[in-house]
Amino acid sequence: MAPGLHAVIHSIVKRHHNTYGIGQADAGVFGVYNSFKGLCNLADNLIVLNPALTEEWLDRGGSQIGSVRYYRGGERNDKGIAALVSIITEQLAVNNIDILYVIGGDGSLKVVNEIAKKNPTRSIVGIPKTMDNDILWVWQSFGFNTAVEQAERAINTLRSEAEGTRRICLIELFGAESGFVAANAALGSGHVDAVLIPEVFKALDPTGAETYLDKIVDHIRMKVQARRKNPHAVIVVAEGVETFLCKMGAIVGGTEVTKGSFISQLRGLIENRVRDAHDEPVPVFVNQPRHYIRAVPANTYDEI
């Protein structure tokens, strides 16, 4: 999911109807419900699309036709992808689909590439969908600007929560391999005490990563102790940090980082080492506002 999906869909439908004259009478432009899952059974998952309908979707967030993670049999390996591509190829042939647009991320576009190989006489178009802004040669991917805007709002609200309750807030934002959303939202907010992004950890070994995190915790301790009357802090973490720490086998708080463990380990490390100016412990809470960000309507920049 990403802000701006409906703008992309409407643009495609409008172009085919108004510029190429492809309407329901001679052919048709169709949407497919539920992503690849729907492509595996087009008879039950097609919806006729026209500019009047898709224009109604423009002010809505999310996706009216659905954005579903799906791999046949739950497999994301080459064998599973091959089986999925085979079924989709058959469905395209049976239903006389000449052009297929797929709006998706890395996993989806890998499948799209395989579909294109199996269908050399059809136009298979992959449209990158990522709020991370991590696509080579693309200055800003659609949804990124809105994601930063919404993330900044979340940060500012959570900062007020942290300050009012005298706690430290850990906010995990998007960023599988890049920290653009985290860094830009933090810069825009101005209320963030530390930002952790994948790019930094990609260049470190396990010892360097541990040293870096130790310095971050020391920095947070100084920030908290300087706020004698209202001890609090805000830390923003891009989700991809954990991925690189896992790959290198880094140790955080005495335990090796595994999938899904880093934020809890970082929280424990801070709680064990950070005390306020009165030598009292400072509670830490975690927030992951992803669902409040990716399903909102796109702002004007991303719509354009």
Side-chain angles (χ1 to χ4, degrees):
M1 197 79 72
L5 278 171
H6 289 142
V8 176
I9 293 170
H10 178 61
S11 297
I12 294 171
V13 173
K14 189 175 181 181
R15 173 56 63 90
H16 281 286
H17 271 261
N18 296 353
T19 303
Y20 304 134
I22 300 176
Q24 191 172 357
D26 53 350
V29 182
F30 303 91
V32 179
Y33 286 119
N34 303 319
S35 308
F36 289 136
K37 184 176 183 179
L39 268 175
C40 289
N41 182 16
L42 285 174
D44 293 332
N45 290 284
L46 283 181
I47 174 176
V48 178
L49 299 180
N50 58 67
L53 173 62
T54 55
E55 185 175 342
E56 292 297 317
W57 296 352
L58 286 175
D59 298 328
R60 302 184 186 183
S63 171
Q64 290 296 299
I65 58 176
S67 180
V68 179
R69 288 181 178 270
Y70 180 77
Y71 289 87
R72 180 170 171 77
E75 297 175 339
R76 300 186 66 171
N77 54 33
D78 291 340
K79 183 178 179 181
I81 291 174
L84 177 62
V85 169
S86 178
I87 295 172
I88 291 174
T89 295
E90 181 181 353
Q91 288 289 299
L92 295 177
V94 169
N95 291 275
N96 296 316
I97 303 296
D98 298 311
I99 306 172
L100 175 68
Y101 293 92
V102 178
I103 310 169
D106 290 343
S108 297
L109 294 186
K110 182 177 181 180
V111 176
V112 170
N113 188 48
E114 295 304 315
I115 295 173
K117 292 177 183 178
K118 291 286 186 180
N119 294 270
T121 62
R122 293 184 172 85
S123 295
I124 310 297
V125 184
I127 301 173
K129 174 184 67 66
T130 172
M131 290 172 292
D132 295 352
N133 199 37
D134 56 355
I135 306 170
L136 193 63
W137 302 308
V138 176
W139 180 247
Q140 282 196 11
S141 54
F142 80 85
F144 170 71
N145 195 278
T146 304
V148 170
E149 187 177 279
Q150 293 296 317
E152 180 186 344
R153 292 178 182 175
I155 288 170
N156 292 342
T157 299
L158 291 166
R159 181 256 186 170
S160 297
E161 170 72 13
E163 183 180 28
T165 57
R166 282 34 174 174
R167 293 187 291 173
I168 296 169
C169 180
L170 280 175
I171 306 171
E172 188 175 41
L173 295 176
F174 301 103
E177 294 187 8
S178 63
F180 288 111
V181 173
N184 280 270
L187 286 169
S189 167
H191 297 303
V192 177
D193 297 294
V195 184
L196 303 182
I197 59 174
E199 290 88 339
V200 171
F201 292 89
K202 187 176 182 179
L204 299 175
D205 59 17
T207 301
E210 291 175 53
T211 301
Y212 183 81
L213 289 172
D214 285 340
K215 290 180 179 179
I216 292 293
V217 174
D218 288 340
H219 171 73
I220 295 301
R221 183 175 64 248
M222 289 188 292
K223 286 288 185 179
V224 167
Q225 291 180 352
R227 296 162 180 159
R228 298 180 63 88
K229 301 297 183 182
N230 60 343
H232 70 280
V234 175
I235 306 167
V236 172
V237 182
E239 61 184 350
V241 169
E242 179 181 84
T243 301
F244 285 105
L245 291 175
C246 285
K247 287 180 179 178
M248 70 175 70
I251 304 295
V252 176
T255 306
E256 185 173 334
V257 177
T258 58
K259 186 176 181 180
S261 72
F262 173 60
I263 290 295
S264 295
Q265 289 170 275
L266 180 58
R267 176 180 182 174
L269 186 66
I270 294 170
E271 287 180 330
N272 289 335
R273 290 178 47 185
V274 175
R275 302 181 79 83
D276 65 18
H278 306 287
D279 201 31
E280 294 290 332
V282 183
V284 180
F285 71 99
V286 176
N287 194 282
Q288 297 168 309
R290 61 174 57 246
H291 300 102
Y292 298 99
I293 296 173
R294 67 180 190 173
V296 301
N299 64 15
T300 302
Y301 185 93
D302 282 329
E303 286 179 331
I304 294 170

